[in-house]
Amino acid sequence: MAYRYVSCETIESELANAIKYITFTPDPELPALLKNALANETGEISKDILNCMLKNIELAPKIEIPLCQDTGTLVVFAEIGNQCIIEGPPLPEIINETLIKVSKELYLRPSIVKDPLLQRENTGNNAPAIVHISIIKGDTIKLQIDQKGGGAENMSRLQMFTPSASSEDIKNFVVETVTLAGGNACPPLIIGIGIGGNFETCALLAKKAILRPLSKKNPLKEYAVLEQEILESVNATGIGVQGLGGKTNALAVHILTAPCHIASLPVAVNLQCHSHRHIEIII
Ligand code: SF4
């Protein structure tokens, strides 16, 4: 079997460019969705906020000021080809070293504490990132990188339904989740829903679901219909932009599924705020 060698320096350089890019630039489809929301809104406050968000997106990359003061937790889904050999330290170390360098260079707000409950001392450098690694066939490294804000993450929820639960029950759970979140998740939202797997995998599915391209429909027709129904129900709550009322609480709903146990139907909802900062790179 032929192997491809990838240097630690190559990964560092590509990753540093990716983190810099998403710090200043949101998902490429986000501006069009916000403009569409603006065209549909009638309330003056909602329109004002949407205009501010659009101005922010226009200015952030020009003047190199982060899209949001909350520079988030760096979450990386890495798929490493089984014919790819990384020359240097293990990938999580490379990611953390790069994150520390970029955080210093861009003066990113340090957003991570060492211990979650006791002293909550800030690490001062945004490390460690949260890294999920899977091994796939091939000789490349795919990195899905998400700068995940804390406000939206806090309002995410998980419920272990039983198989008797219906699509309607899941829809109600999502609507309840965004209603409890109100303005705390910084809407308009991208809603990731994980269905299936077990306790931990459905949370990962929900997180991964938000990274799907915004205009891409679910490949399964039944799930595509459910996504649209949930989007309409969420927007009908009237919670609106930043929780201040209006027609736009979410811009997209993405479902990702996995096989599960015959006795289970886990469902996780991961909320992503309007500062939807993510990118995919292949090395
Ligand atoms: S949840 Fe998102 S928009 Fe709100 S403060 Fe955090 S990163 Fe910023």
Side-chain angles (χ1 to χ4, degrees):
M1 191 189 279
Y3 291 97
R4 177 172 165 253
Y5 290 79
V6 179
S7 71
C8 147
E9 290 76 20
T10 302
I11 300 172
E12 270 178 12
S13 153
E14 299 263 348
L15 183 61
N17 287 339
I19 299 172
K20 284 177 197 170
Y21 181 80
I22 60 173
T23 295
F24 306 127
T25 317
D27 182 291
E29 295 181 75
L30 194 83
L33 288 174
L34 289 175
K35 279 179 193 159
N36 187 44
L38 180 62
N40 289 326
E41 280 294 349
T42 46
E44 286 310 313
I45 295 178
S46 299
K47 286 205 245 178
D48 269 0
I49 299 170
L50 286 166
N51 272 319
C52 286
M53 287 173 179
L54 285 162
K55 192 77 186 163
N56 187 49
I57 288 171
E58 184 196 325
L59 288 178
K62 277 190 197 157
I63 55 177
E64 299 204 332
I65 297 284
L67 278 164
C68 184
Q69 45 75 37
D70 176 2
T71 45
T73 302
L74 195 77
V75 179
V76 181
F77 287 97
E79 290 181 358
I80 305 177
N82 63 342
Q83 289 171 259
C84 178
I85 294 176
I86 296 171
E87 294 180 300
L91 185 62
E93 270 183 46
I94 299 174
I95 291 173
N96 283 327
E97 283 308 311
T98 310
L99 175 59
I100 290 167
K101 276 186 207 156
V102 173
S103 294
K104 196 171 172 196
E105 190 186 325
L106 300 184
Y107 300 99
L108 299 188
R109 185 193 77 176
S111 302
I112 304 296
V113 292
K114 285 180 192 165
D115 182 280
L117 182 63
L118 304 176
Q119 292 180 340
R120 291 188 67 85
E121 187 190 341
N122 200 305
T123 63
N125 54 29
N126 281 318
I130 294 179
V131 183
H132 307 284
I133 294 179
S134 45
I135 305 298
I136 55 160
K137 268 190 176 178
D139 63 2
T140 57
I141 302 168
K142 180 168 119 178
L143 301 177
Q144 284 180 290
I145 304 154
D146 184 16
Q147 217 175 37
K148 188 74 173 68
E153 189 74 0
N154 282 352
M155 307 318 291
S156 303
R157 287 166 87 217
L158 187 153
Q159 181 154 337
M160 299 301 289
F161 285 93
T162 58
S164 61
S166 63
S167 297
E168 198 61 25
D169 293 326
I170 293 173
K171 193 196 303 175
N172 291 340
F173 178 63
V174 180
V175 173
E176 185 183 70
T177 300
V178 298
T179 304
L180 287 170
N184 292 339
C186 299
L189 307 167
I190 315 300
I191 302 175
I193 304 172
I195 305 177
N198 63 0
F199 185 76
E200 74 271 16
T201 48
C202 82
L204 283 175
L205 291 170
K207 172 72 39 78
K208 218 168 179 184
I210 56 180
L211 306 181
R212 192 175 91 197
L214 290 172
S215 57
K216 203 168 169 186
K217 284 197 188 312
N218 196 300
L220 262 184
K221 191 176 153 226
E222 291 82 354
Y223 284 124
V225 169
L226 183 58
E227 288 176 352
Q228 184 59 30
E229 285 177 5
I230 292 174
L231 182 63
E232 286 168 15
S233 299
V234 162
N235 284 334
T237 58
I239 296 166
V241 176
Q242 293 292 53
L244 294 171
K247 297 178 181 175
T248 316
N249 185 238
L251 300 170
V253 174
H254 295 170
I255 293 173
L256 199 56
T257 62
C260 70
H261 190 277
I262 52 170
S264 302
L265 178 41
V267 177
V269 182
N270 193 222
L271 300 182
Q272 174 80 310
C273 58
H274 67 274
S275 215
H276 186 29
R277 302 160 292 186
H278 70 111
I279 197 166
E280 179 180 306
I281 56 171
I282 295 180
I283 300 169

